[in-house]
Coordinates of all heavy atoms in Angstrom, one line a residue:
S38 N 80.8 286.6 222.7 CA 80.3 285.8 221.5 C 79.8 284.5 222.1 O 80.6 283.7 222.6 CB 81.4 285.6 220.5 OG 80.9 284.9 219.4
L39 N 78.5 284.2 221.9 CA 77.9 283.0 222.6 C 77.3 282.1 221.5 O 76.6 282.5 220.6 CB 76.8 283.5 223.5 CG 75.9 282.5 224.1 CD1 76.6 281.6 225.1 CD2 74.7 283.2 224.8
L40 N 77.6 280.8 221.7 CA 77.1 279.8 220.9 C 76.0 279.0 221.7 O 76.4 278.4 222.7 CB 78.1 278.8 220.3 CG 77.6 277.6 219.6 CD1 76.9 278.0 218.3 CD2 78.8 276.6 219.2
E65 N 76.6 288.4 221.5 CA 76.4 288.2 220.0 C 76.1 286.7 220.0 O 77.0 285.8 220.2 CB 77.7 288.5 219.3 CG 77.6 288.1 217.8 CD 78.9 288.3 217.1 OE1 79.8 289.0 217.6 OE2 79.1 287.8 215.9
I66 N 74.9 286.3 219.6 CA 74.4 285.0 219.7 C 74.4 284.2 218.4 O 74.0 284.8 217.4 CB 73.0 284.9 220.3 CG1 72.9 285.5 221.7 CG2 72.4 283.5 220.3 CD1 71.6 285.7 222.3
H67 N 75.0 283.0 218.4 CA 75.0 282.1 217.3 C 74.3 280.9 217.7 O 74.4 280.4 218.8 CB 76.4 281.8 216.8 CG 77.2 283.1 216.5 ND1 77.3 283.6 215.3 CD2 78.0 283.9 217.3 CE1 78.1 284.7 215.3 NE2 78.5 284.9 216.5
L68 N 73.5 280.3 216.7 CA 72.7 279.1 217.0 C 73.1 277.9 216.2 O 73.5 278.0 215.1 CB 71.2 279.5 216.7 CG 70.6 280.7 217.4 CD1 69.2 280.9 216.9 CD2 70.7 280.5 218.9
S77 N 80.5 272.3 213.0 CA 80.9 273.1 211.9 C 81.3 274.5 212.4 O 82.3 275.1 211.9 CB 79.8 273.2 210.9 OG 80.1 274.1 209.8
L78 N 80.5 275.1 213.3 CA 80.7 276.4 213.8 C 82.0 276.4 214.7 O 82.8 277.4 214.6 CB 79.5 276.9 214.6 CG 78.3 277.3 213.8 CD1 77.1 277.5 214.7 CD2 78.6 278.5 213.0
L79 N 82.2 275.4 215.5 CA 83.3 275.4 216.4 C 84.6 275.2 215.7 O 85.7 275.6 216.2 CB 83.1 274.4 217.5 CG 82.0 274.7 218.5 CD1 81.8 273.5 219.5 CD2 82.4 275.9 219.3
T80 N 84.6 274.5 214.6 CA 85.9 274.2 213.9 C 86.1 275.2 212.8 O 87.2 275.2 212.2 CB 85.8 272.8 213.2 OG1 84.7 272.7 212.4 CG2 85.8 271.7 214.3
G81 N 85.2 276.1 212.5 CA 85.4 277.1 211.5 C 86.2 278.3 212.0 O 86.4 278.4 213.2
V82 N 86.6 279.1 211.1 CA 87.4 280.3 211.4 C 86.6 281.6 211.4 O 87.2 282.6 211.7 CB 88.6 280.4 210.4 CG1 89.5 279.2 210.6 CG2 88.1 280.6 209.0
A83 N 85.3 281.5 211.1 CA 84.5 282.7 211.0 C 84.2 283.3 212.3 O 84.0 284.5 212.4 CB 83.3 282.4 210.2
H84 N 84.1 282.5 213.3 CA 83.6 283.0 214.6 C 84.6 282.6 215.7 O 85.2 281.5 215.7 CB 82.2 282.4 215.0 CG 81.2 282.6 213.9 ND1 80.7 283.9 213.6 CD2 80.6 281.8 213.1 CE1 79.8 283.8 212.6 NE2 79.7 282.5 212.3
K85 N 84.8 283.5 216.7 CA 85.6 283.2 217.9 C 84.7 283.3 219.1 O 84.3 284.4 219.5 CB 86.7 284.2 218.0 CG 87.7 283.9 219.1 CD 88.8 285.0 219.1 CE 89.8 284.6 220.2 NZ 89.2 284.6 221.5
F86 N 84.3 282.1 219.6 CA 83.3 282.1 220.7 C 84.0 282.2 222.1 O 85.2 281.8 222.3 CB 82.6 280.8 220.7 CG 81.8 280.6 219.4 CD1 82.2 279.6 218.4 CD2 80.6 281.3 219.1 CE1 81.5 279.5 217.3 CE2 79.9 281.2 218.0 CZ 80.3 280.2 217.0
D87 N 83.2 282.8 223.0 CA 83.7 282.9 224.4 C 83.1 281.9 225.3 O 83.8 281.5 226.3 CB 83.3 284.3 224.9 CG 84.0 285.5 224.2 OD1 85.3 285.5 224.1 OD2 83.3 286.3 223.6
R111 N 87.0 271.8 221.1 CA 87.5 273.0 221.6 C 87.6 272.9 223.1 O 86.8 273.5 223.9 CB 86.4 274.1 221.2 CG 86.3 274.4 219.8 CD 87.5 275.0 219.1 NE 87.8 276.2 219.7 CZ 87.3 277.4 219.4 NH1 86.4 277.4 218.4 NH2 87.6 278.5 220.0
L114 N 87.4 276.1 225.5 CA 86.1 276.9 225.6 C 85.4 276.5 226.9 O 85.3 275.3 227.2 CB 85.2 276.7 224.4 CG 85.5 277.5 223.2 CD1 84.5 277.2 222.1 CD2 85.5 279.0 223.5

Side-chain angles (χ1 to χ4, degrees):
S38 179
L39 170 68
L40 174 61
E65 178 186 346
I66 298 176
H67 304 267
L68 304 176
S77 177
L78 287 171
L79 289 174
T80 55
V82 296
H84 306 292
K85 186 178 183 300
F86 298 108
D87 297 301
R111 297 292 299 275
L114 280 179

